[in-house]
Amino acid sequence: MVYPLRSLRMYAGIALLVTATVSLAQPVTLPDSAFSPKTILLANGNLIDVETGQIREGTSLLIENGVIRKIGKKLPVPQGATVIDAQGKWLMPGLIDSHIHLFQSGSIYTRPDGVNLTKYRPYETERAWLRDNMGDLLRRYLACGITSVIDVGGPMYQYPYRDRYNRQANSPYIMLTGPLISTYQPKAFAIDDSPILKANTPDEAREMVRRQLPAKPDLIKIWFIIRGVGAGEQVQDVVRAAIDESHKNGLKVAIHTQELLAAKLGVKYGADYLVHGPEDGLIDDELITLMKQRQVSYCPTLVVFDGSPRFYADKRKPTFYELTTANPFVTGTLFDMKHLPEPELKKRYAEGFVSAAYLNRKAHADSIRIANLSLVWKAGINVVTGTDAGNPGTFHGTSFVDELHKMQLAGLSNAGLLKASTINGARVLGKEKQIGSLAEGKWANVLVLPRNPLADIDALTQIETVINRGFVAAPAQLIPDSPEILVQKQLNAYNALDVEAFLEPYADDVELYDLPEKLIGKGKEHMRKQYGEMFSKAPLLHCELVNRMVMGNTVIDHERITFREGRPPVDAAAIYKIENGKIKKVYFTR
């Protein structure tokens, strides 16, 4: 962040040698010992029955050993129990994101098969960051009220991570498969432990299924790509063999079906779960009838199609919710295209994704996806909520609410959205006896909300308490802000020109100085006026993080600021002092 009303130059006494912006710094970790299992009585809340959309007022839940033992009115308080007063609050089951990818971060560097930026951030560096920060991403799911996730494809290395985090209370319950068994192999993923493996023959497809069995997959995923590959007999035989081998081993099969033909063939050959909605044609009565007969689940994944194109074309502004809740080092990459030396790439995206031809094609595909969702929902198909999070611009955790807003376009009520986001998601893999609704004997995955999500679905962005398998936490406990995270958050908001998100990491009585000790501003109101004016007058404002040094509660940034087109960028330095979890003082160079 640079102070708006000063001419800045580098301060010679500061060594700025450590981390460039594309390194995606590692956030703070939260030990599992921060939680302690207890007997809990949630007293006198408004319980939402997600099966019916009805509210049971004045209802209490008794939780013991991570399980809901009793539901009723005026339950007695067991000796030693922790009582949480839920009067005037809404109680609902934890959400389920039924389509994510933990091998992808959501950054612009995470899909080299789409946009290859590996000369700035090697793909192995991206993979290492994901392994190191998987716990952080999972806690962000919990902070967003998502207590279960289905990861529909990634490298084999994810299996031991699943097993580790499923033993921890500060992680959602993870169900996942390994590498996608594919009809197509992207060159960028022709690597060791690839997330995508092409099966050339039915025997290869069967072997790919069998290879995952020792790791105990929760399901198998097929990447059924027709465009550019075709759907000849050999391709169909591969798909049929993968499904058959999976079913022989008691595993359900998810199948990638952006094309109507892929959906029809997949269901015909026995797929249990369609993880995208077709975008090239309307689902007909024959397919709907077959889906109902075979109890096929359907995940439309609508929001992901807004991610990459707008991300790379610099047409997507993160929301306040994303700026304050998503992983800030991932969110920060949203702005990197402004300073990466990729003029041809930027030109191609900037022109290609704002052209009338592209916008018309996308609008047409979007309308088909929405229409297909409406068709299957009205037909009684098991529709679930899934974001495809991890793809560029579709952030882990926070994208869930954006998906719900997209699903509303198909006519789903808020009650329908909650059903798709809870009990329907549990039914995908037969987990409805454990999760998905608030019932005696089920896992104690409970959200406490100060507002009614049946009246306003955005109430899901204001969760007061998350209970995950009987362990209690507030969202802020799950994703604590380190000094570096606070500074990164305000940098992201600065680049997004979002003054409220920009001010959020600062103390109310923040002090701004010119080095060494000249006070030039004090308090959030002063900053709101100064920065708000600058943000409104400089729409091309951009701050590139050149280097960063973190020393305890002090963060020193070397910044390069572009104010407007045609004006050379300005190098500057800012020293941030953090006290009591907020930025208390900032020193600028002159």
Side-chain angles (χ1 to χ4, degrees):
M1 181 271 290
V2 60
Y3 191 66
L5 302 180
R6 299 286 168 180
S7 173
L8 305 176
R9 66 177 184 271
M10 289 299 298
Y11 179 56
I14 301 173
L16 299 164
L17 303 173
V18 186
T19 305
T21 184
V22 296
S23 66
L24 297 185
Q26 184 172 338
V28 68
T29 58
L30 182 68
D32 192 46
S33 59
F35 297 82
S36 57
K38 300 174 182 177
T39 297
I40 302 161
L41 183 67
L42 268 174
N44 303 317
N46 299 313
L47 187 149
I48 298 174
D49 184 335
V50 292
E51 298 261 27
T52 65
Q54 300 299 308
I55 294 176
R56 294 158 58 182
E57 297 179 353
T59 300
S60 299
L61 278 73
L62 177 63
I63 298 170
E64 295 177 337
N65 298 319
V67 175
I68 299 172
R69 295 299 183 194
K70 187 73 175 176
I71 298 177
K73 293 181 179 292
K74 299 180 180 180
L75 296 180
V77 180
Q79 185 175 0
T82 297
V83 179
I84 299 176
D85 184 4
Q87 187 166 2
K89 309 293 174 62
W90 281 262
L91 310 178
M92 64 169 287
L95 302 167
I96 301 172
D97 192 330
S98 296
H99 186 150
I100 73 163
H101 293 284
L102 288 169
F103 84 97
Q104 298 173 166
S105 65
S107 82
I108 66 173
Y109 307 101
T110 206
R111 286 294 299 267
D113 60 322
V115 177
N116 192 334
L117 297 171
T118 53
K119 61 184 175 183
Y120 304 107
R121 179 174 171 81
Y123 186 57
E124 187 47 48
T125 301
E126 169 75 3
R127 280 159 64 100
W129 186 91
L130 280 157
R131 291 190 291 269
D132 290 343
N133 289 272
M134 190 179 293
D136 175 86
L137 298 178
L138 291 168
R139 290 194 300 275
R140 292 181 190 278
Y141 276 104
L142 272 191
C144 294
I146 299 162
T147 55
S148 304
V149 297
I150 304 178
D151 186 319
V152 291
M156 291 292 291
Y157 79 69
Q158 292 192 155
Y159 279 116
Y161 282 82
R162 173 203 60 184
D163 298 341
R164 178 199 306 174
Y165 285 110
N166 279 351
R167 293 191 295 268
Q168 297 185 15
N170 55 1
S171 168
Y173 178 64
I174 307 166
M175 298 160 275
L176 62 72
T177 183
L180 283 64
I181 300 172
S182 177
T183 59
Y184 161 71
Q185 177 70 66
K187 290 182 180 179
F189 290 138
I191 56 176
D192 290 340
D193 198 8
S194 174
I196 300 172
L197 297 172
K198 181 183 179 183
N200 296 294
T201 67
D203 286 343
E204 284 186 7
R206 291 181 184 277
E207 177 58 25
M208 288 176 183
V209 174
R210 290 192 288 264
R211 207 175 296 155
Q212 294 190 48
L213 297 179
K216 301 185 184 304
D218 294 283
L219 72 163
I220 296 294
K221 166 78 174 290
I222 298 172
W223 210 37
F224 194 178
I225 305 298
I226 292 178
R227 189 178 296 115
V229 177
E233 289 187 13
Q234 184 176 359
V235 170
Q236 292 186 46
D237 288 346
V238 164
V239 171
R240 187 188 294 113
I243 294 173
D244 180 65
E245 190 67 27
S246 301
H247 286 172
K248 281 182 178 179
N249 288 280
L251 295 169
K252 290 190 175 184
V253 177
I255 191 164
H256 174 110
T257 53
Q258 284 179 252
E259 296 148 307
L260 183 58
L261 179 58
K264 287 186 172 184
L265 292 174
V267 174
K268 176 183 176 182
Y269 295 141
D272 305 284
Y273 180 29
L274 303 185
V275 295
H276 291 290
E279 61 189 35
D280 61 348
L282 294 177
I283 294 175
D284 56 28
D285 291 341
E286 180 184 11
L287 179 55
I288 285 178
T289 298
L290 192 59
M291 291 173 70
K292 292 183 72 172
Q293 289 174 348
R294 300 187 176 184
Q295 298 182 312
V296 174
S297 295
Y298 184 89
C299 184
T301 62
L302 302 173
V303 72
V304 69
F305 297 102
D306 290 338
S308 295
R310 297 177 65 199
F311 204 154
Y312 292 108
D314 190 31
K315 297 297 179 183
R316 185 192 186 294
K317 294 293 185 184
T319 64
F320 180 88
Y321 185 49
E322 289 172 325
L323 289 167
T324 56
T325 309
N327 181 285
F329 304 107
V330 172
T331 310
T333 71
L334 189 74
F335 308 101
D336 284 5
M337 289 299 293
K338 288 188 174 183
H339 61 255
L340 290 181
E342 290 287 343
E344 290 304 316
L345 181 64
K346 285 187 279 192
K347 181 179 179 183
R348 184 169 81 241
Y349 275 94
E351 293 178 356
F353 288 117
V354 297
S355 69
Y358 168 77
L359 293 175
N360 288 337
R361 287 195 305 272
K362 184 178 184 303
H364 180 65
D366 286 346
S367 68
I368 293 175
R369 294 186 198 105
I370 294 295
N372 280 330
L373 172 56
S374 181
L375 286 169
V376 298
W377 177 259
K378 291 176 181 177
I381 303 296
N382 189 56
V383 171
V384 303
T385 306
T387 58
D388 210 354
N391 279 285
T394 306
F395 302 127
H396 290 290
T398 56
S399 59
F400 197 88
V401 168
D402 296 325
E403 182 70 22
L404 295 179
H405 284 301
K406 287 284 187 180
M407 293 172 73
Q408 285 179 320
L409 300 176
L412 275 71
S413 65
N414 287 358
L417 292 172
L418 294 187
K419 187 176 183 180
S421 302
T422 53
I423 189 63
N424 284 7
R427 291 184 175 121
V428 172
L429 297 179
K431 301 291 185 180
E432 60 269 29
K433 292 184 179 180
Q434 294 171 293
I435 59 176
S437 63
L438 301 182
E440 293 177 1
K442 287 193 175 186
W443 292 358
N445 294 344
V446 190
L447 307 182
V448 181
L449 307 173
R451 295 169 52 212
N452 182 3
L454 291 170
D456 182 0
I457 205 67
D458 284 328
L460 295 175
T461 66
Q462 298 175 342
I463 298 167
E464 188 172 282
T465 303
V466 178
I467 301 176
N468 182 45
R469 288 173 276 171
F471 295 82
V472 182
Q477 288 178 288
L478 292 161
I479 48 173
D481 288 333
S482 68
E484 185 178 9
I485 285 176
L486 286 168
V487 173
Q488 186 65 40
K489 280 185 173 182
Q490 61 86 45
L491 174 62
N492 295 343
Y494 179 95
N495 281 329
L497 307 181
D498 187 323
V499 70
E500 295 306 319
F502 172 71
L503 293 173
E504 196 271 341
Y506 285 90
D508 290 338
D509 57 351
V510 60
E511 297 173 353
L512 309 176
Y513 292 90
D514 266 346
L515 282 171
E517 290 289 343
K518 181 182 178 182
L519 184 67
I520 56 175
K522 185 173 182 178
K524 276 189 176 180
E525 286 307 312
H526 170 83
M527 292 181 69
R528 180 176 282 107
K529 179 180 179 181
Q530 300 293 345
Y531 283 94
E533 181 179 350
M534 182 174 69
F535 291 169
S536 66
K537 292 182 177 180
L540 299 181
L541 183 69
H542 174 65
C543 179
E544 174 190 356
L545 175 61
V546 180
N547 283 297
R548 171 174 288 163
M549 183 161 57
V550 181
M551 299 180 296
N553 286 331
T554 300
V555 179
I556 306 170
D557 279 0
H558 170 190
E559 305 169 341
R560 184 164 294 140
I561 304 97
T562 300
F563 289 94
R564 61 180 62 92
E565 190 173 359
R567 178 177 172 179
V570 176
D571 278 289
I575 305 171
Y576 301 88
K577 296 283 189 177
I578 286 77
E579 296 180 12
N580 300 317
K582 292 291 184 180
I583 301 172
K584 173 68 172 178
K585 295 180 180 180
V586 188
Y587 295 86
F588 300 103
T589 58
R590 292 186 293 176

